[in-house]
């Protein structure tokens, strides 16, 4: 991956870079897998008579069982010790999840699709609008979250895994995505 370059045009800023063919294929596979996870979650939503009448989409009220989806779709409210809401936290999260999860899944899917639509088919140079660059940042972050769960990445790493570790390559991909995202954020902010 080449570093990102910001170019000012009459139609606003554009963000240019290039991907090798294997990088484009990898990114495409990762995004497609993540969309599949979101689709599974959405399809597991219970039917709702009110939704059928009003057209207002509702989602699952239960948190996902899958740890990756729990990371992509966390609870809305996390209590502190001695929280005044006490036992009502679960019902609050269930209600908020039911109301907002469909829109969150849609937003994640739209960003992922924008990324897919702008990846060069066989690698090569490409250019993003500011809107597409923000979609890339969002979608790459979601991919990093899914890999982070698999790798059990926390504040303390791991920074490296032994070469013979079965997930060593996954950590390399996670770190590559981190650099891709960081450089795009910096160029979007005008700092590169």
């Amino acid at each position: 991956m080449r570093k990102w370059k910001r170019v000012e045009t009459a139609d606003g800023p554009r963000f240019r870079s290039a991907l090798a063919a294997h990088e484009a294929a990898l990114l495409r596979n990762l995004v497609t897998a993540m969309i599949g996870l979101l689709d599974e979650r959405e399809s597991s939503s219970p039917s709702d008579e009110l939704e059928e009448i009003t057209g207002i989409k509702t989602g699952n009220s239960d948190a996902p069982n899958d740890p990756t989806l729990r990371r992509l779709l966390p609870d809305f409210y996390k209590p502190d010790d001695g929280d005044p809401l006490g036992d009502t936290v679960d019902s609050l999260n269930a209600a908020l999840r039911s109301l907002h999860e469909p829109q969150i899944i849609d937003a994640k899917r739209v960003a992922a699709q924008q990324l897919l639509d702008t990846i060069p088919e066989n690698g090569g140079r490409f250019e993003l609008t500011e809107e597409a660059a923000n979609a890339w940042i969002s979608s790459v972050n979601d991919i990093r979250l899914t890999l982070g769960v698999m790798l059990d990445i926390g504040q303390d790493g791991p920074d490296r895994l032994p070469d013979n570790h079965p997930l060593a390559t996954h950590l390399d991909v996670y770190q590559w995505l981190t650099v891709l995202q960081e450089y795009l954020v910096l160029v979007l902010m005008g700092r590169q």
Side-chain angles (χ1 to χ4, degrees):
M1 159 128 229
R2 287 184 160 173
K3 276 194 170 184
W4 293 94
K5 181 178 180 183
R6 181 185 183 116
V7 177
E8 297 297 332
T9 70
D11 297 324
R14 296 294 185 263
F15 305 91
R16 296 179 179 162
S17 190
L19 291 170
H22 71 279
E23 292 172 327
L26 175 63
L27 202 48
R28 188 174 288 103
N29 287 338
L30 291 169
V31 172
T32 302
M34 185 188 64
I35 290 172
L37 277 173
L38 294 170
D39 288 347
E40 281 179 40
R41 174 66 178 177
E42 185 177 54
S43 68
S44 72
S45 294
S47 63
D48 181 11
E49 292 175 18
L50 187 59
E51 178 182 348
E52 293 171 16
I53 295 169
T54 64
I56 298 171
K57 203 172 183 181
T58 57
N60 287 293
S61 57
D62 295 329
N65 292 326
D66 178 71
T68 304
L69 278 172
R70 266 198 315 272
R71 187 67 178 106
L72 286 173
L73 303 166
D75 283 336
F76 288 82
Y77 183 80
K78 293 190 183 198
D80 294 330
D81 291 338
D83 194 292
L85 291 177
D87 296 335
T88 62
V89 169
D90 289 339
S91 60
L92 173 64
N93 276 318
L96 290 171
R97 183 175 295 284
S98 177
L99 288 172
H100 298 291
E101 188 174 275
Q103 291 83 14
I104 293 169
I105 289 174
D106 285 345
K108 288 179 180 299
R109 190 182 295 113
V110 165
Q113 190 59 54
Q114 271 194 288
L115 188 147
L116 283 174
D117 292 344
T118 53
I119 294 174
E121 187 64 35
N122 296 308
R125 304 178 124 225
F126 64 102
E127 182 176 278
L128 304 175
T129 62
E130 191 166 1
E131 178 186 349
N134 281 308
W136 269 63
I137 289 168
S138 175
S139 196
V140 167
N141 190 62
D142 286 341
I143 296 166
R144 288 180 61 248
L145 289 173
T146 61
L147 283 173
V149 169
M150 183 188 333
L151 295 165
D152 197 26
I153 291 180
Q155 291 179 336
D156 298 327
D159 293 328
R160 288 276 355 115
L161 292 172
D163 290 338
N164 62 349
H165 192 283
L167 297 177
T169 305
H170 292 78
L171 182 60
D172 291 342
V173 170
Y174 177 88
Q175 291 170 337
W176 172 70
L177 290 169
T178 301
V179 170
L180 182 152
Q181 182 184 27
E182 179 182 359
Y183 286 158
L184 182 52
V185 167
L186 290 173
V187 78
L188 221 100
M189 294 171 59
R191 294 191 179 170
Q192 249 191 350

